[in-house]
């Protein structure tokens, strides 16, 4: 139970890319005689983009036998796009043009959340998107269905609990590999409870490539410029980011 926050709090984030899920490793862990409990905070990508605080506070627990009880996170409007994710493949005829037409309807100066699928898998350091810092890197590390997701967490420091510094400059893939390496076969059933297959997680770690990402873009022109790149298979506009007064 000593790694409840980092191990299983992070597993929740991998399982639910539709949300940003925060935890502080084991800083919030309460240990009893037969179980340990820690807190996770869940919010939308749109709220996180502008610091609107509408987080849900949920509990994650593990008993002395190692069995994990997960909170009910639930789907969002992003869920169907994740379930139909096709990063790492070429777009079908007309698909990209439809995305371009959708992009033209976006307000010139409005922040939007987009899910971007790449035409082919890429190494982390050459993925397009102009990420400003590690915290903004929200990557899919496999193709679909149910793509494997990784978000570095607050300040780009991989949920703030992997030892070391250089927050925002760390390798997303290497930190993902460090996380996966903790699991043993005895954890496989608990991972399946939230739809994660341990063998697949390990295969993704071995490959170490990016198939797509979630990003925040400002307006029509940024989105159209992105769609012009041959490496971009498609970019789905998921939702607009709230403005003051929304």
């Amino acid at each position: 139970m000593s790694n409840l926050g980092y191990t299983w709090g992070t597993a929740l984030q991998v399982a639910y890319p539709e949300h940003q899920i925060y935890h502080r490793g084991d800083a919030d862990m309460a240990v009893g005689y037969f179980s340990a409990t820690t807190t996770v905070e869940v919010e939308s990508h749109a709220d996180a983009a502008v610091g609107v605080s509408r987080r849900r506070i949920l509990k994650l627990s593990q008993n002395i036998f190692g069995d994990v009880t997960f909170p009910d996170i639930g789907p969002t409007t992003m869920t169907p796009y994740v379930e139909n994710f096709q990063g790492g493949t070429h777009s079908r005829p007309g698909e990209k043009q439809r995305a371009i037409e959708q992009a033209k309807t976006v307000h010139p100066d409005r922040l939007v959340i987009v899910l971007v699928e790449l035409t082919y898998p890429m190494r982390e350091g050459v993925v397009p998107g102009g990420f400003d810092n590690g915290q903004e890197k929200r990557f899919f590390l496999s193709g679909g269905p149910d793509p494997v997701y990784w978000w570095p967490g607050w300040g780009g420091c991989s949920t703030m609990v992997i030892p070391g510094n250089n927050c925002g400059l760390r390798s997303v893939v290497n930190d993902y590999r460090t996380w996966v390496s903790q699991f043993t076969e005895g954890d496989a059933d608990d991972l399946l409870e939230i739809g994660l297959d341990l063998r697949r997680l390990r295969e993704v770690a071995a490959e170490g490539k990016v198939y797509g990402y979630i990003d925040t873009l400002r307006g029509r022109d940024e989105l159209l410029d992105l769609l012009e790149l041959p490496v971009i298979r498609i970019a789905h506009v998921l939702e607009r980011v709230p403005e003051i007064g929304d």
Side-chain angles (χ1 to χ4, degrees), residues 74-206:
T76 72
T77 55
M78 186 190 298
T79 302
Y81 295 96
V82 175
E83 291 176 343
N84 292 287
F85 183 82
Q86 297 181 61
T89 64
H90 289 272
S91 57
R92 295 185 293 269
E95 192 171 25
K96 195 163 189 179
Q97 185 58 43
R98 288 191 293 272
I100 291 171
E101 294 304 316
Q102 181 195 38
K104 291 177 180 177
T105 68
V106 173
H107 189 279
D109 195 40
R110 189 66 189 255
L111 287 173
V112 290
I113 304 297
V114 295
L115 189 154
V116 179
E117 300 176 4
L118 299 178
T119 303
Y120 51 85
M122 303 183 72
R123 294 294 176 188
E124 175 186 346
V126 295
V127 175
F131 297 103
D132 294 328
N133 58 59
Q135 183 167 320
E136 302 306 319
K137 294 180 180 178
R138 296 168 280 180
F139 287 155
F140 291 98
L141 303 182
S142 78
D146 300 321
V148 174
Y149 176 75
W150 187 261
W151 174 57
W154 281 316
C157 225
S158 292
T159 60
M160 302 294 285
V161 289
I162 292 180
N165 298 312
N166 301 317
C167 297
L169 301 174
R170 302 169 67 101
S171 166
V172 167
V173 169
N174 286 344
D175 284 348
Y176 168 77
R177 287 169 170 160
T178 300
W179 171 73
V180 171
S181 69
Q182 298 179 101
F183 294 109
T184 68
E185 296 302 323
D187 297 313
D189 287 344
D190 281 323
L191 287 167
L192 282 175
E193 289 288 329
I194 49 175
L196 300 178
D197 181 273
L198 179 56
R199 183 174 65 177
R200 185 165 184 243
L201 294 178
R202 289 170 173 169
E203 290 171 350
V204 169

Side-chain angles (χ1 to χ4, degrees), residues 185-239:
E185 296 302 323
D187 297 313
D189 287 344
D190 281 323
L191 287 167
L192 282 175
E193 289 288 329
I194 49 175
L196 300 178
D197 181 273
L198 179 56
R199 183 174 65 177
R200 185 165 184 243
L201 294 178
R202 289 170 173 169
E203 290 171 350
V204 169
E207 183 187 33
K209 290 188 177 179
V210 176
Y211 286 70
Y213 56 91
I214 298 168
D215 200 5
T216 304
L217 299 180
R218 181 167 292 281
R220 178 173 57 227
D221 291 344
E222 279 195 11
L223 186 52
L224 288 171
D225 288 345
L226 185 68
L227 285 166
E228 286 183 1
L229 301 175
V231 70
I232 302 301
R233 180 186 184 279
I234 199 169
H236 302 285
V237 178
L238 303 173
E239 60 180 317

